[in-house]
Amino acid sequence: SQQGEEDPQALSIQEGENATMNCSYKTSINNLQWYRQNSGRGLVHLILIRSNEREKHSGRLRVTLDTSKKSSSLLITASRAADTASYFCATVDRGSTLGRLYFGRGTQLTVWP
Amino acid sequence: DTGVSQNPRHKITKRGQNVTFRCDPISEHNRLYWYRQTLGQGPEFLTYFQNEAQLEKSRLLSDRFSAERPKGSFSTLEIQRTEQGDSAMYLCASSFGGDGYTFGSGTRLTVV
């Protein structure tokens, strides 16, 4: 079953603009991860943020986590056409020893040149 | 070995036939997962192996589905008596310790 919900479902921007995607989830988590998926391909792990962290950076990516609101955001700065893809958040439940991921439905990002 | 390999990439089969997919994880990864993804949805968990032991199975994994991971290396996912509702992308992922999964490119199954 799906756990997270990404918002918006679709986002269309020009190259150079920033893209912000949000994720809400329902349970207590151990960590939250963001993945990218190009059309018809597998998922690429972007970043992992643990429940005791509030913000994390990786290159042009910035992820925040608010466990009180059960929400996370992914910011991509200075977007490029190559960033066009679907972006998914996925959570691992607190106490999980198996590391099972619960995914949302994703945000489809389109970056126009 | 730089990634998770899945074969075949695409499979078209007639309803009622059996199909088998293979996943070769990153060699030092002890955890292996299968997920299924239908169009417009996020991946949904199917099953999990730690080394050769299958430790969890989703309710999505009906008795027509079986997965193995002999010797804790590659894994196979078999679907017997395929139905049109089985059409999906089947994704394999591996990890060491549960952080930062590496996904394969998936096997896209079409049941006609």
Side-chain angles (χ1 to χ4, degrees):
Chain A
S1 61
Q2 318 245 227
Q3 146 87 302
E5 288 292 335
E6 286 91 344
D7 172 59
Q9 290 187 354
L11 181 60
S12 185
I13 60 175
Q14 295 290 129
E15 262 191 333
E17 294 180 341
N18 295 341
T20 300
M21 289 160 268
N22 302 296
C23 167
S24 60
Y25 57 91
K26 299 172 185 172
T27 62
S28 295
I29 62 171
N30 177 293
N31 65 70
L32 185 145
Q33 305 177 31
W34 285 91
Y35 288 83
R36 184 185 75 221
Q37 186 178 38
N38 290 89
S39 180
R41 308 285 295 186
L43 288 89
V44 174
H45 179 261
L46 296 176
I47 198 164
L48 179 152
I49 187 165
R50 301 189 188 282
S51 60
N52 61 351
E53 297 176 310
R54 291 296 167 258
E55 188 171 312
K56 208 160 183 181
H57 298 256
S58 176
R60 294 184 295 114
L61 306 180
R62 173 178 168 256
V63 169
T64 62
L65 178 65
D66 186 336
T67 53
S68 67
K69 295 180 179 178
K70 290 186 165 55
S71 68
S72 174
S73 68
L74 170 67
L75 169 68
I76 304 174
T77 60
S79 62
R80 306 165 181 168
D83 295 328
T84 295
S86 292
Y87 290 82
F88 295 90
C89 69
T91 56
V92 175
D93 283 347
R94 176 171 296 188
S96 169
T97 57
L98 304 181
R100 172 177 174 173
L101 288 171
Y102 292 89
F103 285 87
R105 289 186 172 84
T107 292
Q108 172 62 50
L109 173 66
T110 303
V111 182
W112 299 100
Chain B
D1 184 2
T2 58
V4 177
S5 176
Q6 290 190 248
N7 288 288
R9 288 294 310 278
H10 304 275
K11 179 71 177 178
I12 300 175
T13 191
K14 291 183 178 179
R15 190 173 52 188
Q17 297 293 305
N18 300 344
V19 294
T20 300
F21 312 139
R22 177 177 169 126
C23 171
D24 287 272
I26 293 174
S27 57
E28 59 267 27
H29 285 183
N30 59 342
R31 298 185 176 203
L32 187 146
Y33 304 81
W34 286 97
Y35 288 81
R36 182 172 72 184
Q37 185 179 25
T38 53
L39 200 61
Q41 302 292 316
E44 292 182 291
F45 172 81
L46 290 179
T47 191
Y48 160 70
F49 289 86
Q50 183 155 321
N51 299 311
E52 67 274 13
Q54 187 174 19
L55 297 185
E56 188 178 2
K57 296 197 305 184
S58 162
R59 288 169 298 187
L60 294 174
L61 218 64
S62 74
D63 56 6
R64 295 185 298 106
F65 288 71
S66 63
E68 294 182 343
R69 192 184 182 196
K71 302 179 183 177
S73 55
F74 69 93
S75 176
T76 58
L77 178 68
E78 181 183 18
I79 309 174
Q80 296 182 326
R81 305 181 303 281
T82 52
E83 301 172 356
Q84 286 190 320
D86 297 331
S87 295
M89 175 80 89
Y90 290 82
L91 294 162
C92 176
S94 69
S95 75
F96 185 80
D99 284 355
Y101 295 56
T102 300
F103 277 83
S105 295
T107 293
R108 180 167 296 283
L109 174 66
T110 303
V111 182
V112 297

